[in-house]
Amino acid sequence: MPSRDEALAVTLSIATALLVVILAVIAGAGVGSQPATQGGPPGPACAEWTDGCVVCRRVPEGLACSTPGIACVPTAPRCLRPVGVPI
């Protein structure tokens, strides 16, 4: 049976490895990403759309998009709200 110090060392090593993996995934998620969905906006008449993974909205500053899920498979973009329709 491992000693208390050995068990603590193994536990800390595992926790450190998990933290490094989580930080790498988070850092890699933002690299090379663009704020639009994979297919881009459906057209200027659409104010809010989704590809099944990300929801994007036109705002005065440009585009605002949600973060995709880990195991998401995007589909063709579809309009959720036309321009001029209130939220």
Side-chain angles (χ1 to χ4, degrees):
M1 177 155 221
S3 70
R4 181 174 167 226
D5 291 339
E6 290 172 337
L8 180 61
V10 169
T11 302
L12 288 175
S13 297
I14 291 171
T16 302
L18 285 174
L19 180 62
V20 167
V21 169
I22 290 170
L23 291 175
V25 168
I26 291 171
V31 174
S33 65
Q34 56 185 15
T37 58
Q38 186 178 9
C46 186
E48 188 172 347
W49 62 94
T50 184
D51 65 357
C53 296
V54 176
V55 176
C56 292
R57 178 183 302 166
R58 294 182 199 279
V59 294
E61 297 81 22
L63 296 178
C65 296
S66 65
T67 304
I70 287 178
C72 187
V73 178
T75 60
R78 64 183 173 88
C79 189
L80 299 175
R81 185 174 55 87
V83 171
V85 176
I87 298 174

